[in-house]
mmCIF file of all heavy atoms in Angstrom:
data_model
loop_
_atom_site.group_PDB
_atom_site.id
_atom_site.type_symbol
_atom_site.label_atom_id
_atom_site.label_comp_id
_atom_site.label_asym_id
_atom_site.label_seq_id
_atom_site.Cartn_x
_atom_site.Cartn_y
_atom_site.Cartn_z
ATOM 1 N N SER A 408 119.304 17.380 2.278
ATOM 2 C CA SER A 408 118.898 18.469 1.380
ATOM 3 C C SER A 408 119.054 18.078 -0.039
ATOM 4 O O SER A 408 118.250 18.514 -0.899
ATOM 5 C CB SER A 408 119.631 19.758 1.630
ATOM 6 O OG SER A 408 120.997 19.581 1.415
ATOM 7 N N ARG A 411 116.076 16.033 -0.948
ATOM 8 C CA ARG A 411 114.994 16.932 -1.028
ATOM 9 C C ARG A 411 114.810 17.570 -2.415
ATOM 10 O O ARG A 411 113.777 17.642 -2.998
ATOM 11 C CB ARG A 411 115.168 18.139 -0.018
ATOM 12 C CG ARG A 411 113.968 19.133 -0.022
ATOM 13 C CD ARG A 411 114.300 20.256 1.058
ATOM 14 N NE ARG A 411 113.149 21.154 1.182
ATOM 15 C CZ ARG A 411 112.948 22.141 0.457
ATOM 16 N NH1 ARG A 411 113.778 22.475 -0.526
ATOM 17 N NH2 ARG A 411 111.891 22.981 0.635
ATOM 18 N N GLU A 450 108.682 21.101 4.913
ATOM 19 C CA GLU A 450 108.370 22.306 5.550
ATOM 20 C C GLU A 450 108.496 23.481 4.554
ATOM 21 O O GLU A 450 109.570 23.740 3.960
ATOM 22 C CB GLU A 450 109.125 22.512 6.863
ATOM 23 C CG GLU A 450 108.567 21.799 7.956
ATOM 24 C CD GLU A 450 109.162 22.168 9.255
ATOM 25 O OE1 GLU A 450 110.215 22.919 9.237
ATOM 26 O OE2 GLU A 450 108.712 21.781 10.418
ATOM 27 N N LYS A 451 107.500 24.420 4.598
ATOM 28 C CA LYS A 451 107.596 25.601 3.690
ATOM 29 C C LYS A 451 108.546 26.617 4.211
ATOM 30 O O LYS A 451 109.142 27.459 3.375
ATOM 31 C CB LYS A 451 106.134 26.265 3.656
ATOM 32 C CG LYS A 451 105.226 25.380 2.885
ATOM 33 C CD LYS A 451 103.933 26.199 2.752
ATOM 34 C CE LYS A 451 102.870 25.254 1.962
ATOM 35 N NZ LYS A 451 101.589 25.879 1.733
ATOM 36 N N ASN A 452 108.806 26.730 5.469
ATOM 37 C CA ASN A 452 109.824 27.668 6.022
ATOM 38 C C ASN A 452 111.126 27.058 6.080
ATOM 39 O O ASN A 452 112.010 27.386 6.951
ATOM 40 C CB ASN A 452 109.376 27.985 7.424
ATOM 41 C CG ASN A 452 109.328 26.893 8.459
ATOM 42 O OD1 ASN A 452 109.327 25.725 7.955
ATOM 43 N ND2 ASN A 452 109.178 27.173 9.733
ATOM 44 N N GLU A 453 111.434 26.228 5.195
ATOM 45 C CA GLU A 453 112.731 25.549 5.023
ATOM 46 C C GLU A 453 113.842 26.604 4.713
ATOM 47 O O GLU A 453 113.629 27.527 4.002
ATOM 48 C CB GLU A 453 112.700 24.496 3.934
ATOM 49 C CG GLU A 453 113.952 23.496 3.892
ATOM 50 C CD GLU A 453 113.935 22.646 5.129
ATOM 51 O OE1 GLU A 453 113.005 21.911 5.314
ATOM 52 O OE2 GLU A 453 114.882 22.631 5.869
ATOM 53 N N SER A 454 115.038 26.440 5.269
ATOM 54 C CA SER A 454 116.132 27.450 5.042
ATOM 55 C C SER A 454 116.537 27.216 3.591
ATOM 56 O O SER A 454 116.264 26.308 2.893
ATOM 57 C CB SER A 454 117.290 27.045 5.967
ATOM 58 O OG SER A 454 116.904 27.138 7.201
ATOM 59 N N PRO A 455 117.171 28.285 2.961
ATOM 60 C CA PRO A 455 117.599 28.306 1.562
ATOM 61 C C PRO A 455 118.537 27.163 1.373
ATOM 62 O O PRO A 455 119.180 26.638 2.174
ATOM 63 C CB PRO A 455 118.319 29.630 1.430
ATOM 64 C CG PRO A 455 117.648 30.546 2.443
ATOM 65 C CD PRO A 455 117.430 29.584 3.573
ATOM 66 N N ARG A 456 118.637 26.781 0.066
ATOM 67 C CA ARG A 456 119.512 25.725 -0.387
ATOM 68 C C ARG A 456 120.975 26.010 0.077
ATOM 69 O O ARG A 456 121.374 27.116 0.056
ATOM 70 C CB ARG A 456 119.396 25.493 -1.861
ATOM 71 C CG ARG A 456 120.194 24.360 -2.367
ATOM 72 C CD ARG A 456 119.875 24.183 -3.850
ATOM 73 N NE ARG A 456 120.617 23.085 -4.382
ATOM 74 C CZ ARG A 456 121.476 23.165 -5.422
ATOM 75 N NH1 ARG A 456 121.509 24.270 -6.111
ATOM 76 N NH2 ARG A 456 122.096 22.151 -5.864
ATOM 77 N N ASN A 457 121.652 24.975 0.345
ATOM 78 C CA ASN A 457 123.078 24.979 0.818
ATOM 79 C C ASN A 457 123.257 25.614 2.171
ATOM 80 O O ASN A 457 124.363 25.767 2.615
ATOM 81 C CB ASN A 457 123.968 25.807 -0.164
ATOM 82 C CG ASN A 457 123.939 25.163 -1.613
ATOM 83 O OD1 ASN A 457 123.728 23.980 -1.667
ATOM 84 N ND2 ASN A 457 124.288 25.938 -2.557
ATOM 85 N N SER A 458 122.193 25.963 2.877
ATOM 86 C CA SER A 458 122.386 26.520 4.197
ATOM 87 C C SER A 458 122.095 25.425 5.364
ATOM 88 O O SER A 458 122.273 25.705 6.418
ATOM 89 C CB SER A 458 121.408 27.625 4.477
ATOM 90 O OG SER A 458 120.009 27.234 4.370
ATOM 91 N N ALA A 459 121.552 24.284 4.989
ATOM 92 C CA ALA A 459 121.251 23.210 5.979
ATOM 93 C C ALA A 459 121.478 21.851 5.333
ATOM 94 O O ALA A 459 121.114 21.780 4.155
ATOM 95 C CB ALA A 459 119.892 23.320 6.500
ATOM 96 N N SER A 460 122.126 20.954 6.107
ATOM 97 C CA SER A 460 122.346 19.587 5.496
ATOM 98 C C SER A 460 121.109 18.709 5.525
ATOM 99 O O SER A 460 121.044 17.714 4.798
ATOM 100 C CB SER A 460 123.495 18.935 6.322
ATOM 101 O OG SER A 460 123.091 18.817 7.681
ATOM 102 N N LYS A 461 120.152 19.000 6.407
ATOM 103 C CA LYS A 461 118.953 18.192 6.610
ATOM 104 C C LYS A 461 117.687 18.983 6.372
ATOM 105 O O LYS A 461 117.662 20.274 6.663
ATOM 106 C CB LYS A 461 118.944 17.633 7.949
ATOM 107 C CG LYS A 461 119.963 16.627 8.285
ATOM 108 C CD LYS A 461 119.770 15.262 7.384
ATOM 109 C CE LYS A 461 120.849 14.232 7.776
ATOM 110 N NZ LYS A 461 120.591 12.928 7.142
ATOM 111 N N SER A 462 116.726 18.394 5.839
ATOM 112 C CA SER A 462 115.317 19.053 5.660
ATOM 113 C C SER A 462 114.374 18.120 6.284
ATOM 114 O O SER A 462 114.434 16.862 6.305
ATOM 115 C CB SER A 462 115.090 19.158 4.175
ATOM 116 O OG SER A 462 115.920 20.079 3.466
ATOM 117 N N LYS A 463 113.270 18.740 6.749
ATOM 118 C CA LYS A 463 112.239 18.063 7.476
ATOM 119 C C LYS A 463 111.100 17.618 6.453
ATOM 120 O O LYS A 463 110.439 18.552 5.837
ATOM 121 C CB LYS A 463 111.622 18.883 8.635
ATOM 122 C CG LYS A 463 110.619 18.130 9.395
ATOM 123 C CD LYS A 463 110.096 19.055 10.429
ATOM 124 C CE LYS A 463 110.929 19.434 11.491
ATOM 125 N NZ LYS A 463 110.373 20.075 12.663
ATOM 126 N N PRO A 528 127.336 24.626 3.848
ATOM 127 C CA PRO A 528 128.106 25.608 4.709
ATOM 128 C C PRO A 528 129.303 24.895 5.571
ATOM 129 O O PRO A 528 130.073 25.600 5.973
ATOM 130 C CB PRO A 528 127.062 26.117 5.712
ATOM 131 C CG PRO A 528 125.716 25.846 5.008
ATOM 132 C CD PRO A 528 125.850 24.615 4.156
#
Side-chain angles (χ1 to χ4, degrees):
S408 59
R411 181 180 187 271
E450 277 192 345
K451 291 184 179 180
N452 59 346
E453 192 70 55
S454 301
R456 185 173 176 233
N457 295 337
S458 64
S460 59
K461 293 290 184 179
S462 297
K463 184 183 289 187

